[in-house]
Amino acid sequence: MSTPKTIKIGLCGFGTVGQGVWQHLERARTDLEARLGVKLELARAAVRDLKRARDVAIPADKITGDALSIANDPSLAIVCELIGGTTLAREVTLAALKRGAIVVSANKALLCDHGAELFETARKHGGQLLFEASVAGGIPIIKALREGLVANRFTQIYGILNGTCNYILTRMVQEGAPYATILADAKRLGYAEADESLDVDGWDTAHKASVLAFLAHGVWIKTDKMIVEGIAKITQADLKHAAALGYGIKLLAVITRDFAANQLFVRVHPTLIPEERVLASVNGVFNGVSVTGDVVGTTTYIGRGAGRDATASAVISDIVDAAAILATGKAVPSIPGSSSYASSQPPSLAPLEKITGRYYVRTLVKDEPGVLAQIATVMANHKVSIASVTQPEVAEEGTASLILTTHLSNEHAIRETLADLARLPSVVEAPLLLRIGDFAE
Amino acid sequence: MSTPKTIKIGLCGFGTVGQGVWQHLERARTDLEARLGVKLELARAAVRDLKRARDVAIPADKITGDALSIANDPSLAIVCELIGGTTLAREVTLAALKRGAIVVSANKALLCDHGAELFETARKHGGQLLFEASVAGGIPIIKALREGLVANRFTQIYGILNGTCNYILTRMVQEGAPYATILADAKRLGYAEADESLDVDGWDTAHKASVLAFLAHGVWIKTDKMIVEGIAKITQADLKHAAALGYGIKLLAVITRDFAANQLFVRVHPTLIPEERVLASVNGVFNGVSVTGDVVGTTTYIGRGAGRDATASAVISDIVDAAAILATGKAVPSIPGSSSYASSQPPSLAPLEKITGRYYVRTLVKDEPGVLAQIATVMANHKVSIASVTQPEVAEEGTASLILTTHLSNEHAIRETLADLARLPSVVEAPLLLRIGDFAE
């Protein structure tokens, strides 16, 4: 037998995930090399601060402060972009793709904002971009969509994609404590960032939804074309009323495609899920994704959605796929962007009238006669039919909390309804809207 | 661009699954061809009875009654073995592998009984054997273990792998009807075979467990080296007592590996799962698998475990992988049997003393003084510590039903205990043993 080829790997970014990749890849290397028939060499890593002490020690001559030098190093066939952000990460990714390298990325924000440019660059220069770690951490959901479920068209994908939000909502349910208290504690424990907005306002979930929508439907939907709502306004009252109605509340990404009309819609919002659904019992930092394909039906995937080791597991699976490609000179067959995804008739965005569902509306009103009639009239004007009304508790003096659920309506009608409700003199606070997710299983 | 290569596919077996594969592949063909850059041609199908009418009509000149003629046809680069059984299916698979074809198989019994021979034949002749459809139907669990989780060593895999058993247990819980009634109805509805033994006695689950154990650990464990117990003895009383203790009962395959001792054990048995675990709410014909890897932690996969379309989805994903291999002349990097799985130090079977857990024992005893003391003494003799005792209901005149749960013990001790209990004059019926699955999550 001939001497096995050596495939050199460079890591741009050597924080938590980068160190996890290095450590676990070193440990699994002998096994993986035997399986692949090639040698794998962790050749270089770029760090932001050369002086900082790290948990995973690597030889000084392998470290650089210059990530672009790794992106541009022709000896490195695989470049892992683990920097985060969309500035240097974009430069590094483009540079590596331009020289035909395979880039492994965990960066959903970069993919969402610049995916079209990145995949076009890859196509033009013979590079490839793998991104298993960008969505749902260690769950191999990218591979499932791209390869395992390749016979399917995806009518619906929905999932819990942000571990921080799920952790906060889970603790709110378990402890009965308000959002602000749990958020503060989550920050203290390192489960939420100092600036929590990316997570709790739904943007991180939206980035991931964009990646899943691209995989399933071949188009990049940016966050300004989605409905994106976060969890910050959810109260104990909402959780309790939802539970009384038989639902849990989860922040979901929902990607729906109408193949007959060739329309797609992507949205991110807190959703009431029937308690008996599997995703309703996905708690804490876990992620879960339900995928409905026209052949296979619904399959569901659950696991840790973030963290050093789960993310490293996904990055390493991409590195192994990349090494297999390099060992034989073959391209991954079903990477979107390079073939049919881009060429098939792209779907258009579904209008809001087509995004149907049932709704949960909580509002604070003046406690006086005729208020419910006014509200019911507004809803009737927009043909939003009320399914249930609860006036559950004594709010502040002179006000009352009202919880309404609706029959099937649509995003356009409910949006108009909410705007009109907010204008009613008897409505004290802008109403909170939650969606009821009666998804097919 | 040059004319794309045409890859010809032959189907051996054109029953429910074969017709599903034909129909869905024809529908998805244009998309898949664009993605792969090759043409896919469903060239021939072998049927058992040439005269039988079928839902999916194919041209008469593509049909043959001779499956071996497809296996041996050098123009067919991909052969799907969808015959079932282990006689003709084995001949067909071996013949196709010997000429270097890629065989796609859904046949877990064949893999379990002859896997070593098949993979050795593939290795020797340059053939390949893909088997996504053999376990858990449309859930891409084979790909997850083989590729998506490649960074991991698998300390534990457990799952609901037989839809018939899960359907029966689910209806028993929902309707409160006895096993025999539900089984008869399941047969009438086509959810259970006329000879139900393969399903309800655990053998089908054991075949699938064998396939998963091979993928994860590189050795073929045959069913005579497993504990294999079915669901036929489970009564309404068991389901109710389990529920009262906070558990559901599922037929599970459990594959545990102790890497320090390099020991493996595979078992199939009805298991009490804590209600809050995700797999406890996997109901009806659905399958679910929880995989614990040393890097990623636990990931869980849920979907339809059988049926025409779910199985076809998995077969087609293998056909697409096969076509990608053929398009570039590359071998799947991480197919076991051809590389590291076979060469790494194979684990030995763990002795029964090492298979630990808690147990549920139901027994029928004479309703007379001193019986509980006798039973407790037998258990104490084997150092099996009792966690709870319930004497729940009036059984037949002069007898009493006893339900015991134990603290942590092991298969050796509990087996000896059960043998001794069965010999007690006061024990009227051989005790029923169920395992309590307090699995890590």
Side-chain angles (χ1 to χ4, degrees):
Chain A
M1 275 179 67
S2 59
T3 317
K5 185 170 167 178
T6 295
I7 292 172
K8 292 191 178 185
I9 303 154
L11 303 190
C12 296
F14 202 64
T16 309
V17 173
Q19 294 179 59
V21 169
W22 192 285
Q23 184 190 339
H24 292 298
L25 187 54
E26 276 303 331
R27 207 223 50 216
R29 197 158 54 84
T30 317
D31 271 0
L32 296 173
E33 288 176 344
R35 216 185 272 208
L36 286 160
V38 297
K39 293 272 169 200
L40 300 174
E41 183 187 335
L42 282 163
R44 295 178 65 196
V47 299
R48 199 158 29 187
D49 177 1
L50 284 167
K51 298 207 187 85
R52 193 197 292 179
R54 290 177 183 82
D55 293 341
V56 175
I58 54 175
D61 64 343
K62 293 194 166 189
I63 298 192
T64 173
D66 179 9
L68 274 168
S69 78
I70 288 187
N72 288 314
D73 180 344
S75 77
L76 302 173
I78 301 172
V79 174
C80 299
E81 185 280 291
L82 306 169
I83 300 168
T86 58
T87 312
L88 178 58
R90 175 171 159 272
E91 287 175 52
V92 160
T93 304
L94 286 172
L97 292 174
K98 276 182 187 161
R99 65 172 177 84
I102 302 181
V103 176
V104 173
S105 177
N107 193 330
K108 45 267 172 188
L110 178 67
L111 288 164
C112 177
D113 289 357
H114 303 286
E117 177 192 25
L118 299 177
F119 282 98
E120 175 56 20
T121 304
R123 195 197 55 77
K124 213 152 104 185
H125 298 278
Q128 295 200 49
L129 183 52
L130 304 180
F131 48 98
E132 183 63 71
S134 66
V135 182
I139 308 172
I141 185 68
I142 303 292
K143 192 174 273 287
L145 285 173
R146 201 177 63 194
E147 303 176 23
L149 303 175
V150 71
N152 293 269
R153 294 184 302 184
F154 301 106
T155 51
Q156 185 163 266
I157 299 172
Y158 68 93
I160 299 165
L161 300 178
N162 183 279
T164 303
C165 288
N166 208 39
Y167 173 84
I168 291 173
L169 290 174
T170 301
R171 282 194 55 191
M172 282 177 73
V173 170
Q174 287 170 352
E175 297 168 29
Y179 169 79
T181 309
I182 303 288
L183 173 64
D185 203 49
K187 284 186 185 184
R188 195 180 55 78
L189 294 166
Y191 287 113
E193 303 287 333
D195 174 6
E196 72 272 14
S197 167
L198 190 66
D199 290 323
V200 302
D201 294 337
W203 302 112
D204 173 74
T205 301
H207 293 151
K208 292 164 176 167
S210 180
V211 173
L212 293 182
F214 170 65
L215 262 172
H217 305 294
V219 289
W220 286 103
I221 309 291
K222 297 207 175 168
T223 55
D224 61 352
K225 303 290 182 200
M226 303 177 188
I227 295 167
V228 182
E229 296 172 10
I231 63 166
K233 289 179 183 158
I234 292 175
T235 63
Q236 281 298 328
D238 296 319
L239 292 167
K240 277 172 193 147
H241 294 307
L245 295 163
Y247 294 92
I249 300 180
K250 298 289 183 185
L251 182 69
L252 292 190
V254 184
I255 301 161
T256 41
R257 171 91 179 250
D258 175 342
F259 281 92
N262 201 23
Q263 288 174 336
L264 175 70
F265 206 81
V266 182
R267 52 208 168 101
V268 172
H269 47 59
T271 313
L272 278 69
I273 316 182
E275 262 160 13
E276 64 274 18
R277 287 298 154 80
V278 164
L279 286 199
S281 55
V282 170
N283 288 322
V285 297
F286 276 70
N287 281 195
V289 187
S290 268
V291 176
T292 303
D294 60 344
V295 181
V296 77
T298 300
T299 53
T300 302
Y301 307 80
I302 300 164
R304 282 177 182 79
R308 176 184 185 275
D309 296 332
T311 310
S313 175
V315 169
I316 292 170
S317 83
D318 273 349
I319 291 175
V320 171
D321 274 3
I325 294 167
L326 293 163
T328 58
K330 146 182 184 309
V332 170
S334 41
I335 280 286
S338 60
S339 60
S340 69
Y341 284 100
S343 62
S344 70
Q345 189 64 33
S348 57
L349 275 189
L352 292 176
E353 289 80 1
K354 284 280 296 283
I355 315 303
T356 59
R358 298 197 304 121
Y359 297 91
Y360 166 109
V361 179
R362 171 173 51 81
T363 183
L364 194 67
V365 295
K366 288 185 187 153
D367 192 9
E368 57 191 29
V371 170
L372 188 55
Q374 291 168 25
I375 288 174
T377 304
V378 166
M379 296 181 84
N381 287 345
H382 295 288
K383 300 194 166 42
V384 175
S385 169
I386 295 172
S388 72
V389 183
T390 323
Q391 183 178 319
E393 75 226 89
V394 177
E396 280 176 52
E397 182 81 26
T399 64
S401 183
L402 261 190
I403 310 246
L404 302 127
T405 64
T406 77
H407 288 297
L408 204 65
S409 181
N410 65 71
E411 287 290 332
H412 177 77
I414 199 74
R415 195 175 281 203
E416 301 273 305
T417 303
L418 258 67
D420 283 0
L421 286 180
R423 277 192 287 266
L424 284 180
S426 56
V427 168
V428 177
E429 269 179 22
L432 172 82
L433 178 70
L434 301 176
R435 278 78 179 175
I436 301 178
D438 303 308
F439 303 119
E441 196 163 35
Chain B
M1 273 178 71
S2 59
T3 316
K5 184 170 168 177
T6 296
I7 292 171
K8 292 191 178 186
I9 302 153
L11 303 190
C12 296
F14 202 63
T16 308
V17 173
Q19 294 179 58
V21 169
W22 192 284
Q23 185 191 337
H24 292 299
L25 187 55
E26 274 304 330
R27 209 223 48 218
R29 196 158 54 84
T30 316
D31 271 0
L32 296 174
E33 287 176 345
R35 215 183 273 208
L36 286 160
V38 297
K39 293 272 168 199
L40 299 174
E41 183 188 335
L42 283 162
R44 296 178 66 196
V47 300
R48 199 157 28 185
D49 177 0
L50 284 168
K51 297 205 189 86
R52 194 197 291 180
R54 288 176 186 85
D55 293 341
V56 176
I58 55 174
D61 63 342
K62 292 194 165 188
I63 299 193
T64 174
D66 178 9
L68 274 167
S69 79
I70 288 187
N72 288 314
D73 181 344
S75 77
L76 302 173
I78 301 173
V79 174
C80 299
E81 185 280 292
L82 306 169
I83 300 168
T86 57
T87 311
L88 178 58
R90 175 171 161 271
E91 286 174 53
V92 160
T93 304
L94 285 172
L97 292 174
K98 276 181 188 160
R99 66 174 176 83
I102 303 182
V103 176
V104 173
S105 177
N107 193 330
K108 46 265 171 192
L110 179 67
L111 288 164
C112 176
D113 288 357
H114 302 286
E117 177 192 24
L118 299 176
F119 282 97
E120 175 56 20
T121 304
R123 195 197 56 75
K124 213 151 104 184
H125 299 278
Q128 296 200 47
L129 183 52
L130 305 180
F131 48 98
E132 183 63 72
S134 66
V135 182
I139 308 171
I141 185 68
I142 303 293
K143 193 174 272 288
L145 285 172
R146 201 177 64 194
E147 302 176 25
L149 303 175
V150 71
N152 294 269
R153 295 184 301 185
F154 302 106
T155 50
Q156 185 164 267
I157 299 172
Y158 68 94
I160 299 165
L161 301 178
N162 182 279
T164 303
C165 288
N166 208 39
Y167 173 84
I168 291 172
L169 290 173
T170 301
R171 282 194 56 190
M172 283 177 73
V173 169
Q174 287 170 351
E175 298 168 29
Y179 169 78
T181 309
I182 304 288
L183 173 64
D185 204 48
K187 284 187 184 184
R188 195 180 56 77
L189 294 167
Y191 287 114
E193 304 286 333
D195 174 8
E196 72 272 12
S197 167
L198 191 65
D199 290 322
V200 302
D201 294 337
W203 302 112
D204 174 75
T205 302
H207 293 150
K208 292 164 176 167
S210 179
V211 173
L212 293 182
F214 170 64
L215 263 172
H217 305 294
V219 289
W220 286 104
I221 308 292
K222 298 208 173 167
T223 54
D224 61 352
K225 304 289 182 200
M226 303 177 187
I227 294 168
V228 181
E229 296 173 10
I231 63 166
K233 288 180 185 159
I234 293 175
T235 64
Q236 281 297 329
D238 296 319
L239 292 167
K240 279 174 193 147
H241 294 309
L245 295 164
Y247 295 91
I249 301 181
K250 299 289 183 186
L251 182 69
L252 291 190
V254 184
I255 301 162
T256 40
R257 172 92 179 248
D258 175 342
F259 281 93
N262 201 22
Q263 288 174 337
L264 175 70
F265 205 80
V266 181
R267 52 207 168 101
V268 172
H269 47 59
T271 313
L272 279 68
I273 315 183
E275 262 160 13
E276 65 274 17
R277 287 297 154 82
V278 165
L279 285 199
S281 55
V282 171
N283 287 320
V285 297
F286 277 70
N287 281 195
V289 187
S290 269
V291 176
T292 303
D294 61 344
V295 180
V296 76
T298 299
T299 53
T300 302
Y301 306 81
I302 300 165
R304 283 179 181 77
R308 175 183 184 277
D309 296 333
T311 310
S313 175
V315 169
I316 292 170
S317 83
D318 273 350
I319 290 175
V320 172
D321 274 2
I325 294 167
L326 292 163
T328 56
K330 145 183 186 307
V332 171
S334 39
I335 281 286
S338 60
S339 58
S340 68
Y341 284 100
S343 62
S344 70
Q345 190 64 32
S348 58
L349 277 188
L352 292 176
E353 288 80 359
K354 284 281 296 282
I355 315 304
T356 59
R358 298 196 304 122
Y359 297 91
Y360 165 109
V361 178
R362 171 174 52 81
T363 183
L364 194 67
V365 295
K366 289 186 187 153
D367 192 8
E368 57 190 29
V371 171
L372 189 56
Q374 291 167 26
I375 288 175
T377 303
V378 165
M379 296 181 84
N381 287 345
H382 295 289
K383 299 194 165 43
V384 175
S385 169
I386 296 172
S388 73
V389 183
T390 324
Q391 183 178 320
E393 76 225 272
V394 177
E396 281 175 52
E397 183 81 26
T399 65
S401 182
L402 260 191
I403 311 248
L404 301 128
T405 64
T406 77
H407 288 298
L408 204 64
S409 181
N410 66 72
E411 287 289 333
H412 177 77
I414 199 75
R415 195 175 281 204
E416 302 273 304
T417 302
L418 257 68
D420 282 0
L421 286 179
R423 278 193 285 267
L424 283 181
S426 55
V427 169
V428 177
E429 269 179 21
L432 172 82
L433 177 71
L434 300 176
R435 277 77 179 176
I436 301 177
D438 304 308
F439 303 119
E441 195 162 37

